[in-house]
Structures are given as C-alpha cells and as structure tokens.
Amino acid sequence: TYPNYVVDDVRRRDATEFDALAHGFDWRGVEHHLVFAEGLPAEAILARQGGVDLIALGTHGHTGLARFLLGNVAAAVLKHAEK
C-alpha cells in the first residue's frame, strides 16, 4: 500500500482535474449532477444510478490495458444497469 499522504495528494489532484473538466464543459442547459466517486468503476457508477435517465460512458481513445479495462467497465454497467 501507499502512504496516506500520497493517496491524499493523488485524490486531491484527481478531484481538482475532474472539477475543472466538468465545470469547463458547455452543458447547454442540460440538467446534470456531478459526482467524484472512488472505488471500483462499475460499482461506483451502478451505485448512483437511481433516478437518472442516462449513463454515458466512453471506451474509445485508449489502447492496450486501458481499453480492455474501460471496455469491461462499460460491459458491466450495461449488464447490471436498471432498465
């Protein structure tokens, strides 16, 4: 495992990047709710699906292991999402 200060630094950096990206996006009036969540990606997404109309996931733009893992996340969300 990593020392807590390293994990905390990474968490803060990632949260800051997420916030900047999400708030810099032109939502064009689309109602949205932003959540920076930690944990296994598919589980974190599925845990927050109640009351939403759409879950959007991207799988392109990655190669190798990253594409394989992101593809698995999308497949798991599709398989287990409420219909």
Side-chain angles (χ1 to χ4, degrees):
T1 63
Y2 297 99
N4 285 342
Y5 69 89
V6 172
V7 174
D8 291 342
D9 286 347
V10 171
R11 184 180 291 124
R12 271 192 297 276
R13 185 202 66 217
D14 289 350
T16 300
E17 289 177 10
F18 171 81
D19 191 54
L21 178 66
H23 287 94
F25 185 76
D26 181 5
W27 294 97
R28 296 180 185 222
V30 173
E31 183 181 338
H32 59 281
H33 179 73
L34 303 172
V35 175
F36 180 80
E38 296 180 47
L40 298 173
E43 289 179 12
I45 293 165
L46 292 167
R48 290 164 178 80
Q49 70 178 318
V52 301
D53 297 320
L54 175 69
I55 299 171
L57 301 172
T59 60
H60 296 286
H62 298 279
T63 60
L65 183 59
R67 183 176 180 119
F68 173 75
L69 292 174
L70 289 172
N72 283 344
V73 171
V77 170
L78 283 170
K79 181 177 180 181
H80 298 289
E82 295 173 3
K83 307 280 191 266

